[in-house]
């Protein structure tokens, strides 16, 4: 079986959906169910012996040890993290605790478990650490895309803690021989994405007739990957990745934020037109994110060459699916937009609007 951390969140949740499309191998999910975790995302699969959800902290070492010894997983997939850059700017403490200290605790318990394994079980065990392209820092418009040998240069508290966790994973392979795999992926989008991130925030604000807050000049670039393509990359790296290696995962979809937002607006104009005007009328430029990375871009040559993975969705096909999903899933959306969510929106956007056209 697989032990998966953070699978009540966006990518881990999509991974569980993806996993059970082609496998009946059982899964145990360890998730703290923070504001970003939502049991509803994987509720359809929850059944003893098939998919079990244990609410707990990756930093609870006794719990992690118990789960490893009770279930004897052939792999641990580590998605759990504090993941939102803006929140890390407001309060980095939780990021250090979960992403760095939590990952350290997890590694220690995996070391204890793996050391006691023998033969084939020991050789075939994998710890797959899900990380981000943000560890490489920011690119100019003309810099080449990130490769696996690009020096780390994290700029936000979030990316600094992810970089630290990557280094710990690397060290546990190098020093203790733990068969680790690390993936560094670009920006994901798709179903079950918590609406504090750019794409779901824009879709839901637009549908509510609220301002669409674009940071700075809107020309920052991200490399967008449909979440199911990321999940398939993780599945393939788990099966075919070489222990100790890292793999960059990206969609070859470099797009400026303002173009992402206008694409969403036009899609909504077609699928659910406003009574008056266009959705683009709601675009509002706001104060920039402090330390805002200008551009991310992934060179996925290594995963293409060694693993044979390729993305299947273009941005056009992926955003169509994503917008339709948000139009059709009111219940999930209502569930995640709780009081705590409204409080975050007030903290982050309450007084920031500089008005359209700036
Ligand atoms: P998310 O914020 O949607 O989900 C994180 C999940 O982790 C939630 O279910 C949350 O409850 C859980 N969690 C948080 N702290 C925990 C703790 N201490 N113990 C146990 N569970 C805890 O994040 P996501 O977007 O699904 O990202 C998943 C992973 O992928 C993260 O490691 C992130 O750094 C990485 N990543 C994300 C993206 C992206 O675009 N979203 C891209 C590349 C890599
Ligand atoms: O690159 C991978 C990373 O992508 C992951 O590691 C992170 O977990 C994930 O959150 C994401 O980070 P970003 O900071 O790139 O994503 P976010 O959706 O927060 O922002 C995308 C871009 O849109 C970024 O340039 C900031 C901008 N933005 C974001 C928000 C929330 C806006 O212009 N307005 C907004 O309201």
């Amino acid at each position: 079986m697989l032990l998966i951390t953070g699978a009540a969140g966006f990518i881990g949740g999509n991974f569980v959906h993806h996993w059970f499309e082609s496998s009946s191998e059982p899964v145990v999910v360890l998730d703290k169910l923070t504001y970003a975790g939502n049991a509803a995302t994987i509720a359809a699969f929850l059944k003893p012996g098939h998919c079990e959800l244990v609410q707990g902290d990756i930093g609870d070492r006794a719990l992690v040890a118990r789960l490893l010894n009770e279930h004897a997983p052939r792999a641990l997939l580590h998605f759990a993290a504090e993941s939102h850059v803006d929140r890390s700017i407001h309060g980095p403490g939780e990021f250090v605790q979960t992403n760095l200290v939590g990952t350290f605790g997890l590694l220690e318990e995996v070391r204890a478990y793996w050391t006691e394994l023998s033969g084939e079980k020991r050789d075939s065990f994998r710890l797959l650490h899900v990380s981000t392209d943000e560890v490489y820092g920011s690119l100019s418009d003309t810099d080449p895309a990130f490769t696996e040998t690009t020096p780390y240069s994290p700029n936000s508290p979030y990316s600094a803690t992810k970089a630290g966790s990557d280094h710990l994973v690397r060290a546990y392979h190098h020093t203790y021989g733990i068969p680790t795999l690390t993936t560094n992926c670009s920006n994901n989008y798709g179903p079950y994405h918590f609406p504090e991130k750019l794409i779901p925030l824009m879709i839901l604000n637009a549908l509510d007739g609220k301002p669409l807050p674009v940071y700075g000049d809107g020309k920052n670039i991200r490399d967008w990957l449909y979440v199911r393509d990321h999940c398939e990359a993780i599945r393939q790296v788990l099966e075919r990745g070489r222990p100790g290696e890292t793999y960059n995962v990206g969609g070859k979809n470099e797009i400026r934020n303002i173009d992402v937002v206008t694409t969403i607006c036009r899609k909504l104009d077609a699928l659910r037109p406003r009574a008056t005007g266009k959705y683009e009328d709601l675009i509002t430029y706001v104060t920039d994110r402090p330390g805002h990375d200008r551009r991310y871009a992934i060179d996925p040559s290594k995963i293409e060459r060694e693993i044979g993975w390729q993305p299947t969705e273009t941005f056009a096909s992926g955003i169509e699916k994503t917008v339709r999903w948000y139009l059709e899933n009111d219940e999930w959306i209502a569930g995640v937009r709780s009081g705590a969510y409204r409080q975050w929106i007030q903290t982050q956007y309450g007084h920031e609007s500089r008005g359209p056209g700036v």
Side-chain angles (χ1 to χ4, degrees):
M1 55 75 68
L2 305 180
L3 179 58
I4 310 185
T5 71
F10 166 48
I11 304 175
N14 274 283
F15 182 85
V16 168
H17 283 251
H18 187 65
W19 182 252
F20 286 124
E21 277 171 18
S22 61
S23 176
S24 55
E25 187 179 4
V27 157
V28 170
V29 172
L30 170 61
D31 197 296
K32 191 176 174 183
L33 297 181
T34 67
Y35 78 91
N38 189 351
T41 299
I42 52 169
F45 303 100
L46 295 178
K47 197 168 66 173
H50 177 62
C51 180
E52 295 177 33
L53 172 61
V54 178
Q55 183 173 6
D57 196 317
I58 56 164
D60 180 346
R61 289 182 50 179
L63 174 61
V64 172
R66 180 171 70 71
L67 292 175
L68 286 167
N69 292 319
E70 246 177 54
H71 296 285
R74 74 169 172 99
L76 191 158
L77 275 57
H78 180 32
F79 293 87
E82 288 292 336
S83 71
H84 190 33
V85 173
D86 292 321
R87 285 187 190 253
S88 83
I89 294 167
H90 283 272
E94 279 298 313
F95 288 72
V96 172
Q97 208 50 46
T98 285
N99 302 357
L100 213 42
V101 181
T103 300
F104 162 69
L106 207 63
L107 283 164
E108 276 294 90
E109 293 311 324
V110 165
R111 180 159 79 96
Y113 165 74
W114 179 78
T115 305
E116 292 300 313
L117 296 178
S118 56
E120 158 65 12
K121 280 196 166 165
R122 184 181 165 102
D123 293 343
S124 62
F125 179 82
R126 297 287 182 271
L127 167 65
L128 192 153
H129 174 57
V130 180
S131 193
T132 170
D133 60 357
E134 298 202 13
V135 297
Y136 298 119
S138 183
L139 297 170
S140 75
D141 287 348
T142 52
D143 283 334
F146 303 131
T147 70
E148 289 77 1
T149 55
T150 301
Y152 273 31
S153 184
N155 288 319
S156 72
Y158 162 69
S159 55
T161 59
K162 290 298 291 188
S165 67
D166 291 9
H167 290 321
L168 284 171
V169 169
R170 178 190 156 84
Y172 273 64
H173 172 74
H174 190 79
T175 306
Y176 306 113
I178 313 261
T180 61
L181 299 161
T182 298
T183 53
N184 292 91
C185 188
S186 62
N187 285 62
N188 284 213
Y189 67 102
Y192 304 106
H193 204 181
F194 193 77
E196 64 187 355
K197 307 279 171 71
L198 180 73
I199 288 181
L201 181 81
M202 294 296 157
I203 298 171
L204 296 185
N205 274 18
L207 291 172
D208 287 347
K210 291 184 180 157
L212 307 180
V214 174
Y215 296 164
D217 64 4
K219 293 180 184 159
N220 299 67
I221 291 171
R222 297 292 183 265
D223 178 358
W224 293 96
L225 180 69
Y226 191 65
V227 64
R228 285 302 188 96
D229 279 328
H230 185 192
C231 294
E232 178 58 18
I234 290 170
R235 199 185 66 76
Q236 292 189 21
V237 169
L238 178 66
E239 299 314 328
R240 295 199 281 284
R242 286 184 293 132
E245 292 293 316
T246 68
Y247 296 90
N248 281 358
V249 187
K252 291 184 184 161
N253 274 316
E254 282 188 58
I255 310 177
R256 298 184 315 172
N257 291 340
I258 188 63
D259 298 328
V260 169
V261 176
T262 50
T263 302
I264 292 168
C265 289
R266 287 174 196 163
K267 197 56 67 189
L268 286 170
D269 285 334
L271 294 172
R272 188 170 294 178
R274 300 182 75 195
T276 51
K278 300 279 186 200
Y279 285 102
E280 278 177 54
D281 302 340
L282 298 169
I283 292 175
T284 306
Y285 288 88
V286 301
T287 307
D288 209 354
R289 170 186 283 175
H292 196 176
D293 284 340
R294 191 63 176 171
R295 171 176 165 243
Y296 304 141
I298 283 277
D299 176 349
S301 309
K302 181 176 174 183
I303 191 171
E304 288 177 356
R305 195 177 57 247
E306 288 192 13
I307 308 286
W309 173 86
Q310 291 257 346
T312 59
E313 301 287 350
T314 62
F315 189 69
S317 65
I319 201 71
E320 167 93 26
K321 286 183 180 174
T322 304
V323 170
R324 284 185 185 278
W325 189 87
Y326 280 90
L327 289 173
E328 289 161 8
N329 285 276
D330 293 342
E331 204 177 319
W332 185 89
I333 292 161
V336 299
R337 289 167 115 189
S338 63
Y341 174 71
R342 285 198 296 276
Q343 196 183 329
W344 163 251
I345 294 296
Q346 177 61 29
T347 306
Q348 176 68 3
Y349 302 100
H351 311 288
E352 283 205 320
S353 174
R354 285 199 265 125
V358 178

